[in-house]
Each structure stands twice: as C-alpha cells, then as structure tokens.
Amino acid sequence: MEAGLSDERFDRFTMNNGFIELRDVAALDDFLAQSNGDPVIIFKHSDSCGISARAYTQMSELKRPVGLITVQTAPAVSDEIRKRMGLAHETPQVMIVHHGQVAWTASHGQVKAAAVEAALEEVGRRQ
C-alpha cells in the first residue's frame, strides 16, 4: 500500500484543491489523528508571499490530502506546529509528520511536489 493518506479518511474536513484547511489547533489534532499511523503532509503557507504562492501550486499537484495552515488566518496553528514539532517558523514550509514527529521538512524554494513524493516513499520504507 502506498504511504500517505487517502481521501476517504478525511470526509469530514473541508477540502479545496486537495488541501484540508487547518484553521485551529483542534483541526490540526483531528487531522493528525485521522492518519491512523500513516505519514501526513502539512503545508504552512503565507498568502502574501510570491515564493509561497509558487509552493502552493507545487503542493496542489500532490495526489493526496495536504493539511494547509495559512499563517495569516491560523497563527495559533502555526505557533502550535513550532512548539509541538520543534521547527523554526518558515513560510512556505512543508513537513511530513509520522507518529507525531517530523520525518522530513523543506522550505522556500525546496518545496516541490516531486520532493514531497520522494520523501513520502522514503518515510514509507522506514515503517
């Protein structure tokens, strides 16, 4: 079975272009809980940054759900990620979370759909 989440597990979330908007910490917790142990993709996005706009386009090419945190509208979720995952704040930033820990991350120009797919395969092999 391919590593990552399928759309069926996320029927109760609001999806837009494959993105699941994580607007509050409860939504983040639900998104992580719905993974059932599979790796999940979380993308932190700034709607006022050109680099982030390009990264958003890249993440929209993924064929699996992506948890979207827009930092302007969900600053508490962005801060919770920083605290919980031990990551410095960056946007754009993508991370693969597996078993509650960051298994892979990239930011700025390194946020590419192909890189995320390759990282998901690698994380899946480590299971």
Short mmCIF file of all heavy atoms in Angstrom, two decimals, residues 52-85:
data_model
loop_
_atom_site.label_atom_id
_atom_site.label_comp_id
_atom_site.label_asym_id
_atom_site.label_seq_id
_atom_site.Cartn_x
_atom_site.Cartn_y
_atom_site.Cartn_z
N SER A 52 5.74 31.61 -1.56
CA SER A 52 4.72 30.73 -1.01
C SER A 52 3.64 30.41 -2.05
O SER A 52 3.13 29.29 -2.09
CB SER A 52 4.10 31.35 0.25
OG SER A 52 3.44 30.37 1.01
N ALA A 53 3.32 31.36 -2.89
CA ALA A 53 2.33 31.11 -3.96
C ALA A 53 2.84 30.04 -4.91
O ALA A 53 2.07 29.15 -5.32
CB ALA A 53 2.03 32.40 -4.71
N ARG A 54 4.12 30.09 -5.26
CA ARG A 54 4.69 29.04 -6.13
C ARG A 54 4.67 27.69 -5.41
O ARG A 54 4.37 26.66 -6.01
CB ARG A 54 6.11 29.42 -6.55
CG ARG A 54 6.13 30.52 -7.60
CD ARG A 54 7.50 30.73 -8.20
NE ARG A 54 8.47 31.28 -7.27
CZ ARG A 54 8.62 32.57 -6.97
NH1 ARG A 54 7.83 33.46 -7.53
NH2 ARG A 54 9.53 32.97 -6.12
N ALA A 55 5.00 27.69 -4.12
CA ALA A 55 4.99 26.44 -3.34
C ALA A 55 3.57 25.89 -3.25
O ALA A 55 3.37 24.67 -3.32
CB ALA A 55 5.57 26.68 -1.95
N TYR A 56 2.57 26.76 -3.10
CA TYR A 56 1.17 26.34 -3.05
C TYR A 56 0.81 25.60 -4.34
O TYR A 56 0.16 24.55 -4.31
CB TYR A 56 0.28 27.56 -2.86
CG TYR A 56 -1.19 27.27 -2.72
CD1 TYR A 56 -1.78 27.17 -1.47
CD2 TYR A 56 -2.00 27.10 -3.84
CE1 TYR A 56 -3.14 26.92 -1.34
CE2 TYR A 56 -3.35 26.84 -3.72
CZ TYR A 56 -3.91 26.75 -2.47
OH TYR A 56 -5.25 26.49 -2.34
N THR A 57 1.24 26.14 -5.47
CA THR A 57 0.98 25.48 -6.75
C THR A 57 1.61 24.10 -6.78
O THR A 57 0.99 23.13 -7.23
CB THR A 57 1.50 26.35 -7.92
OG1 THR A 57 0.81 27.60 -7.89
CG2 THR A 57 1.28 25.67 -9.25
N GLN A 58 2.83 24.00 -6.30
CA GLN A 58 3.51 22.69 -6.23
C GLN A 58 2.72 21.72 -5.36
O GLN A 58 2.49 20.57 -5.74
CB GLN A 58 4.93 22.85 -5.69
CG GLN A 58 5.92 23.40 -6.67
CD GLN A 58 6.25 22.36 -7.74
OE1 GLN A 58 6.59 21.22 -7.45
NE2 GLN A 58 6.14 22.77 -8.99
N MET A 59 2.30 22.15 -4.18
CA MET A 59 1.59 21.27 -3.25
C MET A 59 0.22 20.87 -3.79
O MET A 59 -0.27 19.78 -3.50
CB MET A 59 1.44 21.92 -1.87
CG MET A 59 2.75 22.16 -1.14
SD MET A 59 3.69 20.64 -0.80
CE MET A 59 4.75 20.52 -2.24
N SER A 60 -0.38 21.72 -4.62
CA SER A 60 -1.68 21.37 -5.20
C SER A 60 -1.57 20.24 -6.23
O SER A 60 -2.56 19.64 -6.61
CB SER A 60 -2.34 22.60 -5.83
OG SER A 60 -1.65 22.99 -7.00
N GLU A 61 -0.34 19.94 -6.67
CA GLU A 61 -0.13 18.84 -7.62
C GLU A 61 -0.11 17.47 -6.96
O GLU A 61 -0.17 16.46 -7.64
CB GLU A 61 1.19 19.07 -8.37
CG GLU A 61 1.17 20.27 -9.27
CD GLU A 61 2.50 20.55 -9.93
OE1 GLU A 61 3.44 19.73 -9.80
OE2 GLU A 61 2.61 21.61 -10.58
N LEU A 62 -0.01 17.43 -5.64
CA LEU A 62 0.04 16.15 -4.93
C LEU A 62 -1.30 15.44 -5.04
O LEU A 62 -2.35 16.07 -5.05
CB LEU A 62 0.44 16.36 -3.47
CG LEU A 62 1.86 16.89 -3.26
CD1 LEU A 62 2.07 17.28 -1.80
CD2 LEU A 62 2.88 15.86 -3.69
N LYS A 63 -1.25 14.13 -5.09
CA LYS A 63 -2.46 13.31 -5.25
C LYS A 63 -2.98 12.77 -3.92
O LYS A 63 -3.65 11.75 -3.88
CB LYS A 63 -2.17 12.13 -6.19
CG LYS A 63 -1.66 12.54 -7.54
CD LYS A 63 -2.69 13.31 -8.31
CE LYS A 63 -2.20 13.59 -9.71
NZ LYS A 63 -2.44 14.94 -10.14
N ARG A 64 -2.68 13.44 -2.84
CA ARG A 64 -3.13 13.02 -1.51
C ARG A 64 -3.48 14.27 -0.71
O ARG A 64 -3.05 15.36 -1.06
CB ARG A 64 -2.07 12.19 -0.81
CG ARG A 64 -0.78 12.94 -0.59
CD ARG A 64 0.36 12.07 -0.16
NE ARG A 64 0.90 11.40 -1.34
CZ ARG A 64 1.10 10.09 -1.42
NH1 ARG A 64 0.87 9.33 -0.40
NH2 ARG A 64 1.56 9.55 -2.51
N PRO A 65 -4.25 14.13 0.35
CA PRO A 65 -4.62 15.30 1.16
C PRO A 65 -3.40 15.99 1.76
O PRO A 65 -2.45 15.34 2.18
CB PRO A 65 -5.49 14.70 2.27
CG PRO A 65 -5.97 13.39 1.74
CD PRO A 65 -4.87 12.89 0.85
N VAL A 66 -3.46 17.30 1.77
CA VAL A 66 -2.41 18.12 2.36
C VAL A 66 -3.06 19.04 3.39
O VAL A 66 -3.98 19.79 3.06
CB VAL A 66 -1.70 18.98 1.28
CG1 VAL A 66 -0.69 19.93 1.92
CG2 VAL A 66 -1.04 18.11 0.23
N GLY A 67 -2.61 18.95 4.64
CA GLY A 67 -3.08 19.86 5.67
C GLY A 67 -2.51 21.24 5.41
O GLY A 67 -1.29 21.40 5.32
N LEU A 68 -3.37 22.24 5.27
CA LEU A 68 -2.95 23.60 4.92
C LEU A 68 -3.12 24.53 6.12
O LEU A 68 -4.22 24.64 6.68
CB LEU A 68 -3.78 24.12 3.75
CG LEU A 68 -3.57 25.57 3.35
CD1 LEU A 68 -2.15 25.77 2.79
CD2 LEU A 68 -4.62 26.02 2.34
N ILE A 69 -2.03 25.17 6.49
CA ILE A 69 -2.07 26.20 7.52
C ILE A 69 -1.70 27.52 6.84
O ILE A 69 -0.57 27.70 6.41
CB ILE A 69 -1.07 25.91 8.65
CG1 ILE A 69 -1.38 24.56 9.29
CG2 ILE A 69 -1.08 27.04 9.67
CD1 ILE A 69 -0.27 24.04 10.19
N THR A 70 -2.67 28.41 6.71
CA THR A 70 -2.40 29.75 6.20
C THR A 70 -2.06 30.62 7.40
O THR A 70 -2.91 30.83 8.27
CB THR A 70 -3.60 30.31 5.41
OG1 THR A 70 -3.93 29.38 4.37
CG2 THR A 70 -3.30 31.67 4.83
N VAL A 71 -0.83 31.08 7.47
CA VAL A 71 -0.34 31.72 8.69
C VAL A 71 -1.10 33.00 9.03
O VAL A 71 -1.23 33.33 10.22
CB VAL A 71 1.18 31.96 8.65
CG1 VAL A 71 1.93 30.64 8.57
CG2 VAL A 71 1.58 32.88 7.51
N GLN A 72 -1.64 33.71 8.05
CA GLN A 72 -2.38 34.94 8.34
C GLN A 72 -3.72 34.65 9.03
O GLN A 72 -4.17 35.45 9.84
CB GLN A 72 -2.64 35.75 7.06
CG GLN A 72 -1.43 36.43 6.51
CD GLN A 72 -0.60 35.53 5.60
OE1 GLN A 72 -0.86 34.33 5.46
NE2 GLN A 72 0.41 36.11 4.97
N THR A 73 -4.34 33.53 8.71
CA THR A 73 -5.66 33.23 9.26
C THR A 73 -5.62 32.19 10.38
O THR A 73 -6.61 32.01 11.07
CB THR A 73 -6.62 32.75 8.15
OG1 THR A 73 -6.06 31.60 7.52
CG2 THR A 73 -6.85 33.85 7.13
N ALA A 74 -4.49 31.51 10.54
CA ALA A 74 -4.37 30.48 11.58
C ALA A 74 -3.02 30.60 12.31
O ALA A 74 -2.27 29.63 12.38
CB ALA A 74 -4.55 29.10 10.97
N PRO A 75 -2.74 31.77 12.89
CA PRO A 75 -1.44 31.93 13.56
C PRO A 75 -1.26 31.00 14.76
O PRO A 75 -0.15 30.56 15.03
CB PRO A 75 -1.42 33.41 13.97
CG PRO A 75 -2.86 33.82 14.02
CD PRO A 75 -3.54 32.99 12.97
N ALA A 76 -2.34 30.67 15.45
CA ALA A 76 -2.24 29.77 16.60
C ALA A 76 -1.82 28.37 16.16
O ALA A 76 -1.06 27.70 16.87
CB ALA A 76 -3.56 29.72 17.36
N VAL A 77 -2.29 27.93 15.01
CA VAL A 77 -1.92 26.61 14.50
C VAL A 77 -0.46 26.61 14.07
O VAL A 77 0.29 25.68 14.36
CB VAL A 77 -2.83 26.18 13.32
CG1 VAL A 77 -2.50 24.77 12.86
CG2 VAL A 77 -4.30 26.28 13.72
N SER A 78 -0.04 27.67 13.42
CA SER A 78 1.36 27.81 13.03
C SER A 78 2.27 27.78 14.25
O SER A 78 3.30 27.10 14.26
CB SER A 78 1.56 29.11 12.25
OG SER A 78 2.91 29.28 11.89
N ASP A 79 1.88 28.49 15.30
CA ASP A 79 2.66 28.52 16.53
C ASP A 79 2.67 27.15 17.21
O ASP A 79 3.69 26.71 17.74
CB ASP A 79 2.13 29.59 17.48
CG ASP A 79 3.07 29.84 18.63
OD1 ASP A 79 4.28 30.06 18.39
OD2 ASP A 79 2.60 29.83 19.79
N GLU A 80 1.54 26.45 17.16
CA GLU A 80 1.46 25.11 17.76
C GLU A 80 2.40 24.15 17.04
O GLU A 80 3.05 23.31 17.68
CB GLU A 80 0.03 24.58 17.72
CG GLU A 80 -0.16 23.24 18.38
CD GLU A 80 0.08 23.23 19.88
OE1 GLU A 80 0.04 24.30 20.51
OE2 GLU A 80 0.32 22.12 20.43
N ILE A 81 2.48 24.24 15.72
CA ILE A 81 3.41 23.42 14.96
C ILE A 81 4.84 23.69 15.43
O ILE A 81 5.62 22.76 15.64
CB ILE A 81 3.27 23.69 13.44
CG1 ILE A 81 1.97 23.10 12.90
CG2 ILE A 81 4.48 23.18 12.66
CD1 ILE A 81 1.96 21.59 12.77
N ARG A 82 5.17 24.97 15.57
CA ARG A 82 6.52 25.34 16.02
C ARG A 82 6.83 24.72 17.37
O ARG A 82 7.87 24.09 17.56
CB ARG A 82 6.64 26.87 16.10
CG ARG A 82 8.01 27.35 16.55
CD ARG A 82 8.03 28.84 16.85
NE ARG A 82 7.06 29.25 17.86
CZ ARG A 82 7.21 29.07 19.18
NH1 ARG A 82 8.29 28.48 19.64
NH2 ARG A 82 6.28 29.48 20.02
N LYS A 83 5.89 24.84 18.30
CA LYS A 83 6.11 24.30 19.65
C LYS A 83 6.13 22.78 19.66
O LYS A 83 7.03 22.16 20.24
CB LYS A 83 5.01 24.80 20.60
CG LYS A 83 5.15 26.25 20.96
CD LYS A 83 4.19 26.62 22.07
CE LYS A 83 2.92 27.16 21.48
NZ LYS A 83 1.97 27.65 22.50
N ARG A 84 5.15 22.18 19.05
CA ARG A 84 4.97 20.73 19.11
C ARG A 84 6.04 19.97 18.32
O ARG A 84 6.53 18.93 18.77
CB ARG A 84 3.59 20.37 18.57
CG ARG A 84 3.18 18.95 18.85
CD ARG A 84 1.83 18.64 18.26
NE ARG A 84 0.75 19.39 18.86
CZ ARG A 84 -0.53 19.19 18.59
NH1 ARG A 84 -0.88 18.26 17.72
NH2 ARG A 84 -1.47 19.92 19.16
N MET A 85 6.38 20.49 17.15
CA MET A 85 7.30 19.78 16.27
C MET A 85 8.75 20.26 16.41
O MET A 85 9.65 19.67 15.83
CB MET A 85 6.86 19.93 14.81
CG MET A 85 5.45 19.47 14.54
SD MET A 85 5.23 17.71 14.83
CE MET A 85 3.47 17.56 14.62
#
